[in-house]
């Protein structure tokens, strides 16, 4: 079908990009276009190989053509490129322009042999651009010239083509990431733009980019951002990310609730977290976190931070905190002095703790279940022999790896084989020599062969298929029990542990025998 130059002016490169990136959609819309004579010629399918030929035919070097809409930057650029074609010119040095794109010579096709390279070169580039996106995200403004493929905007039933498209709700950086993916299939994500990019990918229905964003968030997920990501995963309806957020929040509840990110979540997410049965923390921590959120919410709403206003912004969420499950001491030193409870509520709760005839309370009375710790036993038996195994203040250490992400909470250790004894102990968890967690504490051994739990201050997230090192240094009664018939691989529930010797071990502990009989973890 013959092409109408007037209709193609300012649109031809957009149509070509449509064909390259959305072939199936283009085929369907072409049928619709044929039914409308007004746009029929404008959407004729033209192979990419004819780009330069068509440009030369539309704007021959010998012609002195008056171009309609001379202010159209894309048309002028295309004409200029067509006039300057030189088949055998050497590649010039690239210059960086203000729009972060590369300006090359007019025979740029010769130096980019693949379709992907040529398409990527046009990303955010005045070369062949006919649409400007005005992206406004409340804090910045940026023109993004590009032959973008928002098919419904430009192709469908729209006969008129606007030179500027306003995007009022997407951050410029996120929009550029979206454009770059659509042009070149490349995804460049960063922590400070990934949520905005996920929003853009969801808005414009780009599932591959959205999935990449979710994967990025999962790998960067930790206690300090888990609550914020939970709020976003609910907003974007990403169940896999939501599940991962809950794993972190449950296991590392104290860290998550004390994080700055917790104060940034919305009220429905706050209510869901406070209702959570498996939060692995004490109730006074939950109460303090709720007060911190209320203070932040007052500031967001421009309210004075007063007990009355904090109660108002919390609403029914205050009555989701299980205050009666605190100890009397925790309540007296914390919630009772917070001023957010009424005098009648404070009095009733004190009576609930102490009186035989307990008053009715509006707060939940049943303690949270929390998470049940699991234990990986790496020895099949234990023993003791006179003068054989002594702690002596030396380091016992072992390396381990798991096939699923878990949270290491502590170690199970052997005690004295010569009756009751007290030990001071330092435990440590490292990855590639970097200390991730440690604790210095004491425990009392009663002289039996049972293990004694020693906990880290907070559970530590351990990634799959990576070796970590745990170590323990004990001071106290020298003679102790020790493990025998150690296993290199242990199946514990749905998690498989692998063990290997550690070079940090200076007291004889290894895979086959020694100390550190148990790893305590959440999964």
């Amino acid at each position: 079908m013959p092409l109408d130059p007037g209709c193609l002016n300012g649109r031809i490169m957009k149509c070509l990009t449509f064909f390259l990136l959305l072939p199936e959609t283009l085929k369907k819309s072409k049928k619709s276009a044929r039914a409308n004579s007004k746009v029929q010629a404008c959407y004729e399918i033209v192979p990419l190989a004819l780009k330069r030929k068509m440009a030369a035919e539309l704007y021959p070097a010998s012609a002195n053509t008056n171009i309609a809409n001379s202010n159209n930057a894309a048309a002028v650029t295309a004409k200029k490129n067509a006039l300057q074609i030189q088949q055998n010119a050497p590649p010039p040095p690239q210059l960086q322009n203000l729009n972060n794109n590369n300006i090359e010579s007019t025979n740029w096709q010769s130096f980019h042999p693949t379709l992907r390279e040529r398409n990527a070169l046009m990303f955010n580039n005045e070369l062949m651009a006919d649409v400007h996106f005005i992206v406004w995200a409340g804090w910045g403004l940026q023109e993004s010239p590009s032959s973008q493929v928002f098919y419904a905007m430009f192709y469908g039933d729209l006969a008129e083509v606007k030179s500027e498209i306003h995007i009022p709700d997407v951050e410029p950086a996120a929009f550029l990431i979206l454009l770059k993916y659509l042009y070149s299939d490349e995804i460049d994500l960063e922590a400070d733009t990934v949520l905005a990019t996920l929003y853009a990918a969801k808005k414009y229905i780009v599932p591959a980019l959205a999935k990449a964003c979710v994967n990025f968030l999962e790998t960067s997920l930790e206690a300090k951002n888990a609550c914020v990501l939970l709020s976003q995963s609910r907003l974007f309806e990403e169940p896999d990310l939501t599940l991962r957020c809950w794993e972190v929040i449950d296991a590392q509840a104290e860290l998550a609730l004390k994080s700055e990110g917790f104060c940034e979540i919305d009220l429905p997410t706050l209510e869901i977290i406070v209702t959570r049965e498996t939060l692995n923390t004490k109730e006074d921590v939950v109460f303090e976190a709720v007060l911190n959120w209320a203070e932040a919410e007052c500031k967001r709403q421009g309210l004075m931070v007063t007990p009355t206003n904090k109660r108002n912004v919390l609403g029914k969420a205050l009555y989701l905190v299980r205050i009666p499950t605190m100890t009397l001491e925790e309540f007296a030193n914390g919630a009772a002095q917070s001023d957010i409870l009424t005098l009648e509520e404070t009095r009733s709760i004190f009576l609930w703790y102490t009186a035989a005839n307990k008053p009715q309370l509006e707060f939940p009375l049943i303690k949270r279940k929390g998470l049940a710790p699991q234990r990986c036993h790496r020895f099949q038996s234990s023993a003791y022999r006179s003068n054989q195994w002594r702690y002596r203040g030396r380091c016992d250490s072992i390396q381990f790896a798991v096939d699923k992400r878990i949270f290491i909470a502590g170690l199970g250790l052997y005690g004295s084989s010569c009756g009751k004894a007290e030990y001071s102990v330092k435990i440590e968890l490292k990855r590639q020599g970097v200390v991730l967690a440690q604790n210095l504490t004491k425990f009392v051994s009663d002289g039996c062969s049972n293990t004694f739990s020693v906990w880290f201050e907070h559970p530590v997230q351990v990634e799959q298929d990576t070796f970590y090192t745990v170590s323990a240094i004990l001071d106290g009664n020298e003679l102790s029990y020790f493990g025998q018939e150690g296993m290199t691989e242990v199946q514990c529930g749905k998690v498989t542990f692998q063990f290997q010797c550690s070079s940090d071990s200076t007291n004889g502990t290894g895979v086959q025998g020694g100390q550190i009989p148990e790893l305590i973890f959440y999964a």
Side-chain angles (χ1 to χ4, degrees):
M1 179 182 293
L3 301 174
D4 181 0
C7 185
L8 286 168
N9 182 19
R11 301 183 184 178
I12 184 65
M13 297 321 301
K14 173 174 82 302
C15 300
L16 291 176
T17 310
F18 291 158
F19 172 61
L20 292 172
L21 299 183
L22 294 176
E24 295 302 323
T25 312
L26 182 59
K27 291 175 183 177
K28 296 178 182 178
S29 296
K30 183 182 175 185
K31 297 178 181 179
S32 174
R34 286 176 176 170
N36 187 342
S37 59
K38 185 177 181 180
V39 297
Q40 180 178 0
C42 294
Y43 300 101
E44 181 67 26
I45 298 174
V46 185
L48 178 64
L50 297 181
K51 277 184 180 180
R52 191 169 61 185
K53 180 179 178 182
M54 287 190 310
E57 290 175 351
L58 286 172
Y59 307 109
S62 60
N64 185 14
T65 307
N66 291 324
I67 303 174
N69 300 321
S70 60
N71 290 330
N72 188 322
V76 174
T77 303
K79 179 178 179 180
K80 181 179 179 181
N81 291 339
L83 292 173
Q84 294 178 351
I85 292 176
Q86 298 178 5
Q87 293 291 343
N88 299 319
Q94 294 182 348
L95 301 176
Q96 193 75 12
N97 73 8
L98 295 177
N99 287 316
N100 195 33
N101 56 297
N102 295 321
I103 304 174
E104 300 194 358
S105 65
T106 53
N107 61 338
W108 55 273
Q109 296 96 332
S110 303
F111 310 111
H112 299 276
T114 68
L115 173 63
R116 179 176 178 179
E117 289 176 330
R118 292 193 296 273
N119 216 35
L121 187 66
M122 292 187 289
F123 159 66
N124 200 29
N125 198 323
E126 287 287 359
L127 179 67
M128 300 183 184
D130 59 310
V131 174
H132 285 204
F133 290 97
I134 309 300
V135 185
W136 169 255
W139 54 267
L141 181 66
Q142 177 173 334
E143 284 190 319
S144 177
S146 172
S147 294
Q148 180 53 331
V149 291
F150 293 158
Y151 195 80
M153 289 183 185
F154 305 135
Y155 197 60
D157 297 329
L158 297 178
E160 298 296 329
V161 176
K162 297 180 180 179
S163 61
E164 293 185 350
I165 304 297
H166 288 258
I167 311 287
D169 59 343
V170 178
E171 292 184 8
F175 194 75
L176 279 178
I177 293 171
L178 173 67
L179 290 182
K180 184 173 184 180
Y181 169 72
L182 292 173
Y183 270 88
S184 64
D185 223 22
E186 295 179 8
I187 300 176
D188 295 326
L189 297 175
E190 297 180 0
D192 56 349
T193 58
V194 63
L195 282 174
T197 305
L198 177 58
Y199 172 78
K202 287 280 187 176
K203 176 177 180 178
Y204 294 110
I205 316 176
V206 187
L209 180 58
K211 183 177 180 180
C213 292
V214 171
N215 291 340
F216 183 94
L217 290 170
E218 287 184 358
T219 58
S220 60
L221 179 61
E222 52 187 339
K224 66 181 181 181
N225 62 12
C227 294
V228 171
L229 293 184
L230 175 67
S231 176
Q232 296 299 318
S233 67
R234 294 178 62 247
L235 174 65
F236 294 132
E237 298 181 344
E238 289 290 344
D240 291 341
L241 180 58
T242 299
L243 180 61
R244 278 286 297 118
C245 291
W246 279 127
E247 291 176 358
V248 175
I249 294 171
D250 283 342
Q252 299 179 306
E254 184 170 348
L255 291 175
L257 295 180
K258 288 183 176 181
S259 68
E260 293 182 4
F262 179 81
C263 295
E264 299 172 4
I265 61 178
D266 56 283
L267 180 58
T269 303
L270 171 75
E271 293 174 348
I272 292 174
I273 292 176
V274 176
T275 309
R276 186 78 171 173
E277 187 70 26
T278 47
L279 284 182
N280 198 41
T281 190
K282 298 189 298 183
E283 203 64 28
D284 62 326
V285 173
V286 178
F287 181 82
E288 188 66 28
V290 168
L291 290 189
N292 291 338
W293 182 91
E295 180 176 338
E297 182 65 15
C298 285
K299 294 177 180 177
R300 282 191 290 269
Q301 295 187 19
L303 302 173
M304 293 286 291
V305 180
T306 64
T308 299
N309 286 338
K310 288 195 285 187
R311 279 187 71 106
N312 290 337
V313 298
L314 281 171
K316 66 177 183 180
L318 176 63
Y319 295 100
L320 299 176
V321 183
R322 306 183 184 192
I323 293 178
T325 67
M326 300 178 188
T327 65
L328 177 58
E329 182 179 3
E330 289 170 345
F331 173 73
N333 292 330
Q337 300 183 45
S338 67
D339 294 330
I340 199 171
L341 301 177
T342 66
L343 290 176
E344 181 60 29
E345 287 170 340
T346 303
R347 173 180 174 277
S348 296
I349 294 173
F350 269 122
L351 290 176
W352 191 90
Y353 281 115
T354 57
N357 187 17
K358 300 183 183 298
Q360 289 188 344
L361 301 177
E362 296 185 65
F363 301 92
L365 306 178
I366 301 175
K367 188 178 181 65
R368 299 177 196 273
K369 293 180 180 179
L371 293 178
Q374 301 182 49
R375 296 173 181 266
C376 175
H377 305 266
R378 68 184 193 94
F379 296 129
Q380 298 183 65
S381 64
S382 63
Y384 74 93
R385 298 189 186 97
S386 177
N387 204 32
Q388 181 166 351
W389 203 284
R390 298 175 181 271
Y391 279 124
R392 295 177 291 189
R394 297 179 181 176
C395 180
D396 290 291
S397 182
I398 195 72
Q399 287 190 316
F400 73 95
V402 290
D403 64 344
K404 290 181 176 61
R405 184 185 292 109
I406 63 171
F407 297 86
I408 291 292
L411 306 177
L413 303 176
Y414 289 127
S416 169
S417 60
C418 300
K420 185 176 180 179
E422 182 180 74
Y423 290 93
S424 63
V425 54
K426 178 183 179 181
I427 60 173
E428 198 170 63
L429 174 67
K430 295 191 295 185
R431 177 181 178 179
Q432 298 177 344
V434 178
V435 177
L436 303 179
Q438 60 183 7
N439 194 19
L440 181 63
T441 185
K442 294 182 179 181
F443 74 91
V444 177
S445 165
D446 59 8
C448 71
S449 61
N450 294 335
T451 58
F452 299 88
S453 299
V454 181
W455 305 89
F456 291 111
E457 186 176 358
H458 301 289
V460 182
Q461 183 169 286
V462 166
E463 300 298 331
Q464 64 187 44
D465 303 327
T466 301
F467 273 96
Y468 293 77
T469 302
V470 288
S471 59
I473 300 176
L474 278 78
D475 279 324
N477 195 324
E478 289 188 350
L479 289 175
S480 71
Y481 289 91
F482 59 92
Q484 299 182 125
E485 301 177 278
M487 298 173 284
T488 58
E489 183 173 299
V490 179
Q491 185 72 31
C492 189
K494 296 182 179 180
V495 183
T496 301
F497 287 79
Q498 290 185 338
F499 294 96
Q500 66 181 28
C501 294
S502 168
S503 59
D504 292 346
S505 190
T506 60
N507 198 38
T509 290
V511 174
Q512 299 300 320
Q515 301 296 334
I516 314 182
E518 290 179 341
L519 301 181
I520 307 172
F521 67 100
Y522 300 111

